[in-house]
Amino acid sequence: RRCVQETVSTQSTWGIINIFLVYKMESNNLQTIFSSFAGGATEMDGRQFAKLTKDCKLLDKKLTATDVDLTFAKVKAKTARKITYKQFQEAIGHFATKKGVTAEDVENTIVAQGGPTFSGTKPDAVKFHDDKSLYTGVYANGGPSTVDAGKSGISDLSQLCDRTGSDVRGIKK
């Protein structure tokens, strides 16, 4: 198996372009794909099972996300929370009858996907955050601190918090 990176861009209704970095695992075997969706484990939980159907584009009008959840509940053991590879193959048979195709067609669709798709958005550049030459105030010049003892005449915290009397305008008496 090897990891392949793809860049997918979409445009939202507001004109914002989203760039997704998509990582796919290439594989040629249904058992290996099951294992990769299960995170390397020998059993798969309901969340991973639902991700498999979404990533492999099995969902349509004939097979909905609710059908996937019901199929998972049907093939797993009564007290179990996960399904094994054998139960997964049984679920593929249920998908095939629900979609009106052969189980081999569903398996080929899953194998063609090649494994899970991991995606995330790439943030846009923000001028005032990324360009440090545009920083102002304390962020650009720095503020008072206790480490500037020899540089700015401040030797301890008592000089930062001068609480001696002053007039209404803040001028010391």
Side-chain angles (χ1 to χ4, degrees):
R1 296 184 314 182
R2 65 187 186 97
C3 190
V4 178
Q5 177 182 343
E6 294 178 8
T7 304
V8 180
S9 61
T10 59
Q11 187 164 0
S12 69
T13 53
W14 298 287
I16 298 171
I17 297 175
N18 294 319
I19 299 173
F20 296 96
L21 293 177
V22 179
Y23 296 93
K24 293 182 179 180
M25 296 298 291
E26 280 191 350
S27 180
N28 55 2
N29 170 329
L30 190 63
Q31 173 92 37
T32 310
I33 292 172
F34 172 85
S35 178
S36 64
F37 273 101
T42 57
E43 294 181 320
M44 178 184 289
D45 64 14
R47 178 188 56 82
Q48 295 162 336
F49 188 66
K51 179 173 174 47
L52 180 138
T53 58
K54 288 176 189 165
D55 285 357
C56 295
K57 297 176 178 61
L58 293 176
L59 300 179
D60 55 12
K61 290 187 178 186
K62 293 180 181 178
L63 182 69
T64 64
T66 305
D67 295 329
V68 171
D69 290 337
L70 291 172
T71 302
F72 182 82
K74 190 184 296 183
V75 298
K76 74 174 182 64
K78 293 283 184 206
T79 58
R81 298 185 62 151
K82 296 184 176 188
I83 60 171
T84 63
Y85 178 69
K86 187 173 178 83
Q87 293 167 331
F88 172 69
Q89 287 177 317
E90 185 183 336
I92 288 176
H94 288 290
F95 290 164
T97 50
K98 191 78 175 159
K99 290 174 78 72
V101 297
T102 64
E104 189 175 310
D105 290 340
V106 176
E107 285 182 19
N108 290 338
T109 304
I110 294 170
V111 169
Q113 171 61 26
T117 302
F118 306 103
S119 65
T121 58
K122 185 178 177 185
D124 293 333
V126 179
K127 182 170 96 172
F128 294 113
H129 179 267
D130 299 336
D131 188 2
K132 293 189 180 196
S133 67
L134 298 175
Y135 283 7
T136 59
V138 172
Y139 302 102
N141 304 324
S145 73
T146 57
V147 259
D148 296 334
K151 298 177 188 170
S152 61
I154 300 172
S155 61
D156 64 358
L157 281 175
S158 65
Q159 292 175 340
L160 288 175
C161 303
D162 184 9
R163 300 198 185 263
T164 57
S166 61
D167 64 6
V168 181
R169 297 183 183 192
I171 300 173
K172 299 289 179 194
K173 294 181 181 178

